[in-house]
Amino acid sequence: MNALAATNRNFKLASRLLGLDSKLEKSLLIPFREIKVECTIPKDDGTLASFVGFRVQHDNARGPMKGGIRYHPEVEPDEVNALAQLMTWKTAVAKIPYGGAKGGIGCDPSELSISELERLTRVFTQKIHDLIGIHTDVPAPDMGTGPQTMAWILDEYSKFHGHSPAVVTGKPIDLGGSLGRDAATGRGVLFATEALLNEHGKSISGQRFVIQGFGNVGSWAAKLISEKGGKIVAVSDVTGAIKNKNGIDILGLLEHTEENRGIKGFDGADSVDPDSILVEDCDILVPAALGGVINRENANEIKAKFIIEGANHPTDPEADEILRKKGVVILPDIYANSGGVTVSYFEWVQNIQGFMWEEEKVNNELRNYMTRGFKDLKEMCKTHSCDLRMGAFTLGVNRVAQATIIRGWGS
Ligand SMILES: NC(=O)C1=CN([C@@H]2O[C@H](COP(=O)(O)OP(=O)(O)OC[C@H]3O[C@@H](n4cnc5c(N)ncnc54)[C@H](O)[C@@H]3O)[C@@H](O)[C@H]2O)C=CC1
Ligand SMILES: O=C(O)CCC(=O)C(=O)O
């Protein structure tokens, strides 16, 4: 099932559980605005290259729209729409005053030089600058982008609108970024996992983890989990997959990845087939790369008892069904990876206040938000007798529906 069909399906199931009016349901599904722009840049060799950029602004009932910008060859309209919609429910689950958006450019960043990436980011910003803004739509990093990308967007946007640090989050610290934002999604994954395990009378220590993706989310999650005594027994990224049943030395792997632009060739573990990473023997599986990777082809083979969704929509609805029947507990993306956007919110607040928080305050506040989110979503599971995914969807959709109604929808 494609990403948008899967997301719409989960939304509709939640809407039915909540008994939403069908007209309100329809209005919540339709994106506020979809932007598609042509981005042509001169390559370093003087030839021209054209790319397509997208920004989908899904909903703003609860506040400015918020969400990352992805650079990846598979960026396409349905996927961006699904990701934008997920942001709307995610910011509501996290109870931060935002709506949802997502953007991206269909490109392979590994095939572009730094100066080509800079030109592409600046052209994209020129095309969308009048549709984003501190109180309208605030981009952030996602796959294939990072603090440097945000710095270029900020610089280009500021040429049109004056210095505006709060127009993007996930910036370099020297440009108004928040301490703790880089690690925030991985740290949120850690807090979410702790909350879930605690409920099952378990702790991180001694649990065996498999992590797919070793970028921002996967590598921080791996580092923080291993610091808490979790054993990372297998990791994969776009360059390959490795395993070591005694636990991979994560600090060593981070150093290797930095030097080699990937995990391939790390000598502290055995190479394995990347296609088998999700079905490796472990207690807890953390998908932290692409969407749709857990599907009906592999769901039956999954050995993990818990899945913590670091990535967005890694689990197809058909796989959800199979895993539920197998008794696998899935902590859904719109809660499990909400640590990133939560600290983005703290960054935006700091920029607006013109004040900088200590890292300890950022991490403590993040823990508070993640703990409250888990409690709120469990409450919805109880109210609607549903699993964690529907608990999170009903929680998010209900908050957005209520905000929409209170603002005067239908009047
Ligand atoms: N960066 C953030 O703050 C947040 C990211 N996410 C989600 O987390 C996921 C990962 O994002 P980031 O870590 O930011 O991206 P990133 O670009 O920093 O890292 C992506 C990682 O996935 C790996 N990868 C790509 N294709 C792969 C494949 N076919 N098999 C295995 N690994 C593969 C890459 O090699 C890299 O290690 C995405 O789904 C993103 O939407 C969710 C919430 C916040
Ligand atoms: O930090 C943000 O604003 C958005 C992060 C994001 O794109 C996501 O949570 O999927």
Side-chain angles (χ1 to χ4, degrees):
M1 198 181 288
N2 95 356
L4 186 57
T7 307
N8 286 348
R9 181 183 178 276
N10 284 330
F11 163 77
K12 281 182 185 158
L13 287 172
S15 161
R16 305 286 146 81
L17 279 176
L18 291 164
L20 291 191
D21 174 280
S22 62
K23 292 197 175 108
L24 177 59
E25 179 183 295
K26 187 174 174 193
S27 131
L28 289 175
L29 261 189
I30 300 171
F32 171 82
R33 185 189 279 137
E34 292 175 70
I35 304 156
K36 180 177 175 186
V37 293
E38 173 242 336
C39 302
T40 297
I41 56 158
K43 300 270 304 277
D44 293 345
D45 65 7
T47 60
L48 292 179
S50 295
F51 303 88
V52 183
F54 303 92
R55 185 74 180 166
V56 174
Q57 300 172 329
H58 177 257
D59 192 275
N60 61 2
R62 299 184 62 262
M65 293 169 282
K66 188 86 187 82
I69 291 186
R70 177 178 288 198
Y71 288 180
H72 192 271
E74 282 163 29
V75 165
E76 50 85 26
D78 270 8
E79 163 111 321
V80 183
N81 261 288
L83 292 167
Q85 189 192 138
L86 285 172
M87 286 307 305
T88 299
W89 317 135
K90 189 186 301 185
T91 54
V93 167
K95 221 174 175 181
I96 53 180
Y98 288 137
K102 200 86 171 195
I105 301 181
C107 67
D108 184 347
S110 69
E111 288 185 353
L112 296 172
S113 70
I114 289 287
S115 42
E116 288 166 344
L117 282 169
E118 176 174 353
R119 288 196 284 278
L120 183 58
T121 305
R122 288 187 186 280
V123 169
F124 183 51
T125 310
Q126 286 159 19
K127 298 277 171 98
I128 65 167
H129 76 88
D130 50 354
L131 298 170
I132 61 172
I134 297 167
H135 298 293
T136 48
D137 177 4
V138 183
D142 192 79
M143 275 185 91
T145 59
Q148 179 60 73
T149 327
M150 297 306 114
W152 292 325
I153 296 177
L154 161 58
D155 186 65
E156 200 60 31
Y157 180 88
S158 296
K159 288 178 189 165
F160 296 93
H161 303 275
H163 184 57
S164 316
V167 74
V168 283
T169 59
K171 299 176 288 290
I173 305 296
D174 288 340
L175 275 180
S178 176
L179 295 168
R181 174 59 183 91
D182 198 33
T185 312
R187 194 178 296 282
V189 164
L190 169 77
F191 292 154
T193 309
E194 284 179 330
L196 179 69
L197 290 180
N198 185 39
E199 197 201 34
H200 289 260
K202 297 175 190 288
S203 68
I204 299 265
S205 181
Q207 300 291 327
R208 295 166 310 140
F209 288 78
V210 165
I211 302 184
Q212 183 191 45
F214 203 64
N216 174 274
V217 181
S219 69
W220 273 109
K223 181 171 186 290
L224 297 168
I225 286 167
S226 64
E227 282 169 8
K228 289 276 178 179
K231 202 189 271 188
I232 317 295
V233 294
V235 172
S236 74
D237 73 0
V238 75
T239 67
I242 52 170
K243 75 170 174 181
N244 180 344
K245 68 176 171 23
N246 299 318
I248 295 167
D249 163 21
I250 295 301
L251 291 183
L253 184 60
L254 282 165
E255 242 171 67
H256 173 90
T257 307
E258 182 78 24
E259 282 162 18
N260 300 279
R261 300 184 75 191
I263 66 173
K264 195 175 174 192
F266 181 61
D267 59 12
D270 300 324
S271 294
V272 282
D273 176 4
D275 290 340
S276 73
I277 187 89
L278 299 168
V279 302
E280 284 293 332
D281 192 22
C282 66
D283 303 305
I284 301 175
L285 175 62
V286 183
L290 300 169
V293 291
I294 302 175
N295 48 49
R296 67 175 173 197
E297 309 296 328
N298 58 13
N300 262 316
E301 312 304 319
I302 283 178
K303 321 271 184 320
K305 298 170 207 70
F306 300 96
I307 297 176
I308 316 292
E309 295 187 336
N312 283 307
H313 78 85
T315 313
D316 191 82
E318 288 164 325
D320 240 348
E321 198 58 44
I322 296 168
L323 291 161
R324 190 179 310 117
K325 284 189 185 140
K326 272 168 60 117
V328 178
V329 178
I330 304 178
L331 203 50
D333 47 8
I334 57 173
Y335 165 69
N337 70 32
S338 64
V341 73
T342 300
V343 175
S344 276
Y345 165 55
F346 301 158
E347 179 173 327
W348 182 78
V349 167
Q350 291 170 74
N351 294 153
I352 288 170
Q353 288 182 327
F355 190 78
M356 194 162 177
W357 297 2
E358 299 289 337
E359 189 164 357
E360 197 185 346
K361 177 176 164 80
V362 172
N363 294 343
N364 286 341
E365 285 294 328
L366 174 60
R367 182 187 280 281
N368 293 341
Y369 274 69
M370 295 303 297
T371 307
R372 180 187 63 193
F374 188 73
K375 211 165 133 257
D376 290 352
L377 103 78
K378 287 297 296 182
E379 199 59 43
M380 289 306 261
C381 293
K382 213 159 101 191
T383 307
H384 297 289
S385 305
C386 60
D387 67 5
L388 291 164
R389 184 168 323 275
M390 272 308 114
F393 264 83
T394 50
L395 179 62
V397 170
N398 190 45
R399 283 180 177 157
V400 179
Q402 292 313 315
T404 308
I405 293 165
I406 297 165
R407 287 179 74 133
W409 184 84
S411 61

